[in-house]
Amino acid sequence: MTRRPFVCGNWKMNTNAAEAEALAKAVRSEIGEGEDVDVAVAPPFTNLDRVAHALGDSSLRLAAQDVHWEAKGAFTGAVSIDMLEALCVTSVIIGHSERRSLFGETDADCRRKVDAVLGRELQVILCVGESLEQREASQTLEVVGRQLEAGLEGVQDDQVPRVVVAYEPVWAIGTGKTASPDQAQEVHAFLRGRLAARFGPEPAAGIRLQYGGSVKPGNARELFAQPDIDGGLIGGAALKAADFAAIVAAARS
Ligand code: PEP
């Protein structure tokens, strides 16, 4: 099965409103209309509206970096799916390692968020990945397998086409160290096997698996050429329109 590559830029806690608008416009003009690759950007919540307007009617999509599973109420600081949908968000990143390690997000939280996102016709990007300590203790597959199964526990068969999984080794995020194409492919193949056991081989063959962790214009092509790597979740390099566009170009087959 051929899977349409998907590249998403995670801007994290970077850009004020004016900077976000300028970056979105630059990304739009650098990338143009991609018929053969899905591209999204995930600005901070406060800049979603400005970025939505800057992206306009282009094919570039808007993603959010997180969401709360509850629809509304006394959850100070949280943002609901309704709020995101009203701003034209189509994808939500769940379980990024920074949410897990800095904000104490658990596998159970991720599951609630995944269920809420998929319950509302949006796409989910579920992040999984091991720490350096876990890799050195040969626990990589056990860790990512547990995160995957817990996060996707409540997913119904008809929701599978809206599931994207991002493998992001924690030791490679923002460190300049990238997993080698072989290391990344090994984990991606394992994840696809687990998805096949959970949802069946055919649905699993259609699920996009992104790689994330210090992807740059210079290493993207080799990573994306691996059979089970279907694009990337890009942090630092997504803040420079030219670099992000070069990474998107690498995902075009
Ligand atoms: C990320 O945070 O999702 C990420 C992959 O960051 P970077 O590309 O900077 O390593």
Side-chain angles (χ1 to χ4, degrees), residues 12-186:
K12 309 193 186 190
M13 197 175 75
N14 294 295
T15 68
N16 62 27
E19 290 163 348
E21 182 178 333
L23 180 56
K25 285 180 174 164
V27 165
R28 183 179 174 175
S29 90
E30 291 268 357
I31 291 178
E33 292 302 308
E35 292 306 319
D36 41 10
V37 52
D38 288 341
V39 182
V41 294
F45 289 136
T46 50
N47 302 336
L48 284 167
D49 200 24
R50 288 279 280 266
V51 171
H53 282 96
L55 298 181
D57 60 1
S58 76
S59 61
L60 297 174
R61 305 216 230 133
L62 194 58
Q65 298 176 19
D66 187 29
V67 73
H68 196 277
W69 57 84
E70 292 289 349
K72 59 161 73 171
F75 301 97
T76 300
V79 167
S80 75
I81 292 175
D82 250 354
M83 297 172 191
L84 298 181
E85 274 187 330
L87 296 174
C88 306
V89 165
T90 59
S91 311
V92 186
I93 300 168
I94 300 294
H96 189 280
S97 70
E98 287 151 18
R99 301 281 337 153
R100 293 179 190 261
S101 66
L102 303 175
F103 300 98
E105 197 160 297
T106 64
D107 281 336
D109 295 334
C110 292
R111 186 210 153 145
R112 286 189 200 100
K113 292 180 180 192
V114 168
D115 290 352
V117 170
L118 293 177
R120 292 291 292 275
E121 298 303 321
L122 297 177
Q123 178 182 58
V124 71
I125 302 173
L126 175 68
C127 301
V128 300
E130 82 288 4
S131 66
L132 183 59
E133 202 181 18
Q134 289 164 333
R135 174 161 281 267
E136 286 174 349
S138 302
Q139 293 168 348
T140 298
L141 301 183
E142 181 192 325
V143 169
V144 299
R146 190 199 69 231
Q147 292 171 333
L148 184 81
E149 281 183 16
L152 301 184
E153 200 180 326
V155 175
Q156 310 293 312
D157 287 348
D158 64 328
Q159 297 173 329
V160 171
R162 288 185 286 116
V163 171
V164 175
V165 177
Y167 168 55
E168 299 207 301
V170 178
W171 48 272
I173 295 179
T175 58
K177 288 185 200 150
T178 316
S180 70
D182 285 349
Q183 281 176 321
Q185 168 57 25
E186 182 198 6

